[in-house]
Amino acid sequence: MARAGLTAERLTQAGAELADQVGFDKVTVSALARRFGVKDASLYSHLKNSQDLKTRIALLALAELADRVAAAVAGRAGKDALSAFANAYRDYAREHPGRYAAARLRLDPETAAASAGGRHAQMTRAILRGYDLTEPDQTHAVRLLGSVFHGYVSLETAGGFSHSAPDSQESWSRVLDALDALLRNWPAP
């Protein structure tokens, strides 16, 4: 019999909170069971295994991040939209490091297709419409932005920029200026 109050949604939310506290790689069904003061077996009526839990957290994180980015870029264009997108992405990663790591989880094709990942790509392409890029340059630019945002955020959250001046915020602003300039003057093939 399922323990009262435990649902897949509640366990996913608690797993996401746990990921932010201890790291996504340390989230397991056992760790979650300890958090609720129950035996592991109590959770298996809601979760298949630790991989199922991690997939659910990844889907939650992708949806949360897509919602945050959509709200940030609404009604914006050009550099303003690019900066809003980038800042929403960076802020989410800093506020929710475990969930951010979860959003990077490799999903099987069917799960990925049904996830909010597609919304991320659509929003990135919507921003790029303000720069008048056509294919295949638009795809190259999507990959560039994802790589720069993820790389910067990963280095920053790991403390990679904390040991030297200038402040990482100043560098972030310069990176966004450089990306905007590059996108406005995209090189011809």
Side-chain angles (χ1 to χ4, degrees):
M1 178 175 196
R3 188 171 181 92
L6 293 182
T7 64
E9 293 77 21
R10 185 166 177 221
L11 293 171
T12 301
Q13 187 64 43
E17 292 165 9
L18 183 62
D20 286 339
Q21 293 167 1
V22 302
F24 182 61
D25 59 326
K26 293 186 175 108
V27 174
T28 63
V29 171
S30 294
L32 196 57
R34 283 191 300 277
R35 186 178 187 100
F36 282 97
V38 298
K39 295 189 183 300
D40 294 11
S42 300
L43 305 187
Y44 287 117
S45 60
H46 307 288
L47 304 168
K48 294 176 191 169
N49 51 39
S50 288
Q51 186 59 41
D52 179 40
L53 173 61
K54 287 187 173 198
T55 298
R56 289 171 182 270
I57 295 168
L59 294 172
L60 172 71
L62 286 167
E64 287 178 343
L65 184 53
D67 290 345
R68 184 177 286 202
V69 169
V73 301
R76 300 174 188 259
K79 184 179 181 215
D80 194 31
L82 175 68
S83 294
F85 184 106
N87 288 327
Y89 186 94
R90 180 180 180 222
D91 291 346
Y92 185 83
R94 290 162 57 171
E95 292 166 22
H96 300 291
R99 293 176 210 213
Y100 175 75
R104 312 269 55 89
L105 181 70
R106 185 179 183 126
L107 301 172
D108 67 75
E110 185 176 313
T111 303
S115 77
R119 288 178 55 206
H120 292 269
Q122 289 171 345
M123 286 185 286
T124 306
R125 287 179 184 280
I127 289 168
L128 292 173
R129 281 195 292 275
Y131 292 98
D132 200 28
L133 297 178
T134 58
E135 285 300 341
D137 291 331
Q138 194 176 86
T139 296
H140 296 315
V142 167
R143 292 173 180 165
L144 171 71
L145 294 178
S147 298
V148 170
F149 298 161
H150 175 66
Y152 195 95
V153 165
S154 295
L155 289 168
E156 183 180 42
T157 57
F161 304 140
S162 62
H163 60 280
S164 63
D167 180 76
S168 66
Q169 180 58 45
E170 184 178 336
S171 297
W172 179 249
S173 295
R174 300 282 301 267
V175 165
L176 296 179
D177 289 343
L179 286 172
D180 176 61
L182 173 65
L183 292 170
R184 281 188 283 112
N185 301 295
W186 191 264

